[in-house]
Amino acid sequence: MERNEVLKKVEAAMPNERFKHTLGVEKAAVELAEHYHMDIEKARITALLHDYAKYYPDDKAKEIIENEQYDPRLLEFHRSLWHAPVGAYLAEKEFGITDNEILEAIRVHTTGSASMSDFDKLIYLADYTEPGRTFPGVYKARRLALKCLDEAMLFALSSTITHLIKKHQSVFPDTLEAYNYFVNLNLEGDY
């Protein structure tokens, strides 16, 4: 699909602030794709679609998760995790995306995974570090993302898990598995 077609549908599916975030993720994804010599157009489309289902009705999202036999544990966690697998489903059904790399990157952009490809990491980190983000540590995350995707993932997952623990919120098992995977790489960086 062409960018302008995607933009129209995406903008209509979310509030203005979320659309600005989406454009920021697109910018960050393109920058990282250029830096790591990955497919820029694929990164652009994935970034634009990553939050397409963020405001999808809960009942319809739940129905997709159940009907498509996605991980049933998702329904035990906050609805904010649902939009990733539902977004991958909608990217395929509504936009005709058949590229598994795009669909998987959308699917894991909130929880991470122990089996993330470099493209998955790129989209996760573009979402985490987009220019509109201002949380403590984001500048360090941006620097790490341009240095080493694995080190940046470890930093981002550590920060996310710490944030959830401080708020007394549960951590999805895939996020813990991803964290453990990156810890076990024995990275030498400063994070």
Side-chain angles (χ1 to χ4, degrees):
M1 290 192 90
E2 238 183 75
R3 181 178 184 271
N4 288 338
E5 288 179 61
V6 173
L7 274 179
K8 284 179 192 169
K9 272 189 100 167
V10 168
E11 186 174 19
M14 59 186 60
N16 191 45
E17 282 305 307
R18 180 56 50 172
F19 184 64
K20 284 181 189 173
H21 161 74
T22 297
L23 294 176
V25 175
E26 177 190 25
K27 183 179 185 331
V30 166
E31 179 182 319
L32 288 172
E34 287 172 345
H35 183 76
Y36 287 106
H37 309 289
M38 292 189 208
D39 188 319
I40 293 167
E41 287 312 305
K42 188 183 282 195
R44 180 185 308 283
I45 292 299
T46 309
L48 291 175
L49 291 175
H50 86 284
D51 272 354
Y52 180 66
K54 186 87 169 174
Y55 299 92
Y56 203 67
D58 286 357
D59 58 331
K60 290 183 179 179
K62 188 175 182 180
E63 190 176 302
I64 290 170
I65 290 168
E66 291 171 344
N67 290 346
E68 296 301 313
Q69 299 179 347
Y70 293 148
D71 189 335
R73 298 175 301 177
L74 285 164
L75 300 176
E76 300 168 18
F77 286 79
H78 193 273
R79 68 167 302 285
S80 63
L81 297 183
W82 300 359
H83 77 280
V86 172
Y89 173 85
L90 294 176
E92 183 176 4
K93 299 301 180 197
E94 292 187 17
F95 292 87
I97 303 290
T98 57
D99 185 317
N100 284 329
E101 201 170 28
I102 292 173
L103 298 174
E104 181 65 8
I106 294 171
R107 189 185 72 72
V108 300
H109 87 269
T110 55
T111 59
S113 151
S115 59
M116 294 174 83
S117 69
D118 283 346
F119 189 74
D120 296 339
K121 296 170 198 174
L122 181 145
I123 297 301
Y124 185 101
L125 292 167
D127 183 29
Y128 192 79
T129 64
E130 63 95 355
R133 300 280 198 199
T134 59
F135 60 85
V138 73
Y139 298 108
K140 185 173 193 172
R142 288 180 185 133
R143 282 193 311 276
L144 286 171
L146 290 169
K147 177 184 172 206
C148 174
L149 292 172
D150 290 340
E151 288 181 23
M153 283 300 304
L154 179 56
F155 179 81
L157 289 163
S158 297
S159 298
T160 298
I161 291 168
T162 300
H163 174 75
L164 290 170
I165 289 170
K166 284 180 181 176
K167 291 176 66 176
H168 296 100
Q169 292 183 346
S170 53
V171 180
F172 193 67
D174 288 4
T175 306
L176 292 171
E177 288 173 18
Y179 169 79
N180 289 336
Y181 170 81
F182 287 104
V183 162
N184 290 327
L185 289 179
N186 295 317
L187 300 167
E188 298 294 325
D190 173 32
Y191 23 80

